[in-house]
Amino acid sequence: MRAALWLIILFALAAAGAWLAGNNQGTVTLFLFPHRIDLSLNLAALAVLLVVLLVILAQRALEAFLALPKRAQRWRLQQKERASHAALLDSMGYLMAGRYLRARKAAEQALAKEALLQASGVTLDHAVSLRTLAHIIAAEASHALQDKAQRQQHLDQAIAQVQASSGAERQSLLEGTQLRAARWSLDERDATASLARLSALPPAVGRRMAAMRLQLKAARLAGQTDQALETASLLAKHRAFSPEAAESLVTRLILDLLGQMHDPEALQRVWKRLSPSQRLMPFVAAEAALRCLQLGGSAAMARLWLQDLWIPMQASPPIWSDVQLLRVVQAFDACLLGVEAEDAFVWLSRVESAQQSQPRAAHLQYLAGMLCLRHRLWGKAQSLLAHAVKNLQAPVLQRKAWIALAELAEQRQDPVQAAAAWKQAASVSID
C-alpha cells in the first residue's frame, strides 16, 4: 500500500512539472557586453540546478580526497584490531584442539596486538573483555601444561584487568574467572582452595549449576559429606543429572554420611535431616537400620525406619533391583531378631500375611521362616525355609537358610538331615 501511494505522488509531481514546463513562456536575458543572450526560463533553471549539483559533487570529492590519510589510518587500526581478534580466535581453537603451547602463544599475541592499539591511542569498547579472555585462555593452556607459575601470572593479570574496569561486563568476567580458578584448584586436588574461591562468590552465583557442580566435587574431595549431600540434593532437584544418576549419587553420599556416625543419637539426627523421598530409598533405609544395630541402637527404632519399605518390598513384579531387595531383606532379618514380645505377634502376622499373598516370593518365605524359627514354631519354619532355599538367588540368604534347616534337624534329633544341611551350607560360596 505504501509503495502504491509513493507511485501516485511521483506521478502527480511529474505531471505538475511537465505542465509548468510546457506552458512556461518566460525568458531570461543575460547582458555580456557587447552581447546579449536570451534563454528560456526552463533552460536557465536547469542550468542552475546543474551548477549546484556540480558544486556539491566537487565539494564531496575534495572532502574525500582530504580524508584519505585519516581513512588510511583508520584502516590500519582496523587491521590491527582484526589481527588481535583473529589471534584470540586462534588461541580458542588451539585450546579446544589440545594444542596448548600454540594456544598460549596465540593468546599472548592477541594481548600484544591489543597493547599496540592502546599505544596508538585507540581504546576498544571491549578491550577489557578481550584482555581478560586472552589471559584466561593463556592460563588455561598453562594449567594443561602444568606450568603453575605462568598460570598464576595470567590469572592475576586477568583479575587485575577485571577489577580495574567499571563496565557492564565486569561482574560476569570476574565470576567466570573465579569459577575457572576454582576448577583449576580442584584439578590439583586442592579442595580447600577451591571451596574458598567458591565461597567468595555471591550467593546468586553459588546457586548456578556450574558452581554447584564444582562445589559438589570439592566437598567430596575435602570429606565434607554434609555439604556434598546438600549440594547433590539441589542439583538433583534442578535436574542436573538423570534420575538414575541423581539417585545413585545421593544414595552414595547418604551411605558415606551414615558410615561416619559413631553413636545411635548422631545416626538418628542424620535420619531426621533426610527428606521423605530419601528415607524411602531402599539402600538408605536398610543401611541406616543395620548401622543402628551395629552401634548398639534400638531394634525398635531400626524397624520404624524400615516400616515404610514393607509394602514396596512386596510389589510384584519387584520395583527394586536384586541387590536392593537383598539389602532390605537382610535389614528386616536383622531387625526382627529379638523382637519384643508385644510386637512379636504383630510382626509374625504381618510377615505371614505377606507370604501367603505371594506364596512364590522366596524372600518373603525366608523372612517368615526365620521369624517362625525365632518364635519356636518349628513346623512352620521347616516348611517355609525348605521351600525358600530352593528359590533364593542370593548366596548369603541361601547359606543362612541352610544353617537354619540344619539347626532344625538337630532340634528334631535327625543327624542325617542335619549333616546334609550343614554340607549344603558349606558348599554355598559367598563372594
Side-chain angles (χ1 to χ4, degrees):
M1 186 64 184
R2 183 179 298 179
L5 291 176
W6 275 110
L7 184 61
I8 294 172
I9 292 172
L10 289 175
F11 178 77
L13 290 175
W19 179 76
L20 289 174
N23 295 287
N24 191 357
Q25 302 297 328
T27 60
V28 176
T29 302
L30 299 178
F31 293 95
L32 298 175
F33 184 82
H35 302 288
R36 171 184 170 180
I37 303 174
D38 292 327
L39 301 173
S40 67
L41 183 59
N42 293 335
L43 181 60
L46 182 60
V48 170
L49 290 176
L50 289 175
V51 170
V52 171
L53 181 61
L54 288 175
V55 171
I56 292 174
L57 291 177
Q59 182 183 3
R60 292 191 176 182
L62 182 61
E63 289 178 354
F65 177 76
L66 295 177
L68 282 177
K70 293 183 178 180
R71 292 182 62 184
Q73 182 182 8
R74 191 183 309 117
W75 182 84
R76 287 192 296 269
L77 293 176
Q78 286 178 350
Q79 291 300 110
K80 292 180 181 179
E81 182 180 354
R82 291 175 180 175
S84 63
H85 286 106
L88 182 62
L89 292 175
D90 288 341
S91 66
M92 295 175 66
Y94 288 138
L95 183 66
M96 290 187 294
R99 308 179 75 173
Y100 301 116
L101 282 174
R102 293 195 177 190
R104 184 168 64 182
K105 185 177 179 180
E108 292 173 350
Q109 288 178 354
L111 290 169
K113 293 180 185 298
E114 197 277 332
L116 289 177
L117 279 174
Q118 193 174 12
S120 302
V122 178
T123 303
L124 301 177
D125 295 336
H126 52 278
V128 176
S129 299
L130 190 148
R131 288 195 294 267
T132 304
L133 290 177
H135 280 302
I136 290 298
I137 292 175
E140 184 74 36
S142 301
H143 174 72
L145 295 170
Q146 298 295 317
D147 191 347
K148 296 182 181 179
Q150 284 287 330
R151 186 198 70 189
Q152 190 62 37
Q153 179 182 355
H154 283 290
L155 176 61
D156 294 340
Q157 290 177 359
I159 294 176
Q161 290 288 337
V162 176
Q163 290 178 344
S165 67
S166 58
E169 74 280 1
R170 179 181 184 277
Q171 189 64 28
S172 60
L173 289 175
L174 183 60
E175 294 166 0
T177 303
Q178 293 290 353
L179 286 175
R180 186 66 63 172
R183 189 181 67 81
W184 293 336
S185 300
L186 189 60
D187 291 342
E188 294 178 347
R189 314 291 292 176
D190 189 355
T192 304
S194 181
L195 288 173
R197 289 189 179 276
L198 291 173
S199 62
L201 294 172
V205 183
R207 289 191 294 269
R208 293 176 186 169
M209 204 74 69
M212 287 195 294
R213 286 179 182 272
L214 290 175
Q215 189 174 10
L216 172 61
K217 295 178 181 178
R220 295 190 69 181
L221 183 61
Q224 299 179 9
T225 312
D226 285 341
Q227 185 176 0
L229 177 59
E230 181 180 356
T231 307
S233 301
L234 288 175
L235 286 170
K237 181 180 178 180
H238 290 90
R239 299 181 181 179
F241 311 110
S242 64
E244 296 79 10
E247 182 179 358
S248 176
L249 177 61
V250 172
T251 301
R252 182 69 266 170
L253 291 172
I254 295 176
L255 295 183
D256 291 342
L257 187 61
L258 294 176
Q260 295 174 5
M261 300 299 105
H262 300 289
D263 58 84
E265 290 75 15
L267 189 66
Q268 189 174 10
R269 287 194 297 269
V270 171
W271 177 261
K272 290 180 178 179
R273 284 165 42 196
L274 299 180
S275 64
S277 60
Q278 291 172 347
R279 295 178 186 178
L280 289 176
M281 293 179 178
F283 273 131
V284 172
E287 293 297 333
L290 291 173
R291 184 65 176 170
C292 179
L293 296 177
Q294 183 182 0
L295 296 176
S298 170
M301 183 171 62
R303 287 194 298 272
L304 184 63
W305 295 350
L306 289 172
Q307 190 168 354
D308 292 335
L309 299 182
W310 179 249
I311 295 178
M313 189 179 67
Q314 305 174 41
S316 181
I319 60 176
W320 298 333
S321 65
D322 294 340
V323 179
Q324 291 174 328
L325 185 60
L326 169 63
R327 201 57 178 163
V328 173
V329 170
Q330 287 179 317
F332 270 109
D333 187 22
C335 292
L336 293 177
L337 180 62
V339 63
E340 292 81 358
E342 58 273 14
D343 293 339
F345 178 76
V346 175
W347 275 102
L348 187 59
S349 61
R350 184 180 296 171
V351 173
E352 284 186 344
S353 299
Q355 188 274 323
Q356 291 173 4
S357 64
Q358 297 188 44
R360 295 188 178 183
H363 61 284
L364 295 177
Q365 290 178 344
Y366 169 81
L367 284 177
M370 297 300 290
L371 191 59
C372 289
L373 176 63
R374 289 159 189 164
H375 290 85
R376 301 179 182 276
L377 301 175
W378 315 119
K380 283 188 177 181
Q382 172 70 30
S383 176
L384 290 169
L385 291 174
H387 285 87
V389 77
K390 300 175 182 179
N391 300 317
L392 286 173
Q393 302 296 325
V396 176
L397 300 183
Q398 277 187 342
R399 173 173 288 185
K400 293 190 69 174
W402 280 117
I403 292 175
L405 288 173
E407 293 176 352
L408 286 172
E410 291 178 351
Q411 184 72 20
R412 297 193 311 269
Q413 296 183 357
D414 188 346
V416 176
Q417 291 293 332
W422 284 115
K423 184 177 181 181
Q424 289 289 343
S427 65
V428 177
S429 60
I430 300 177
D431 297 332

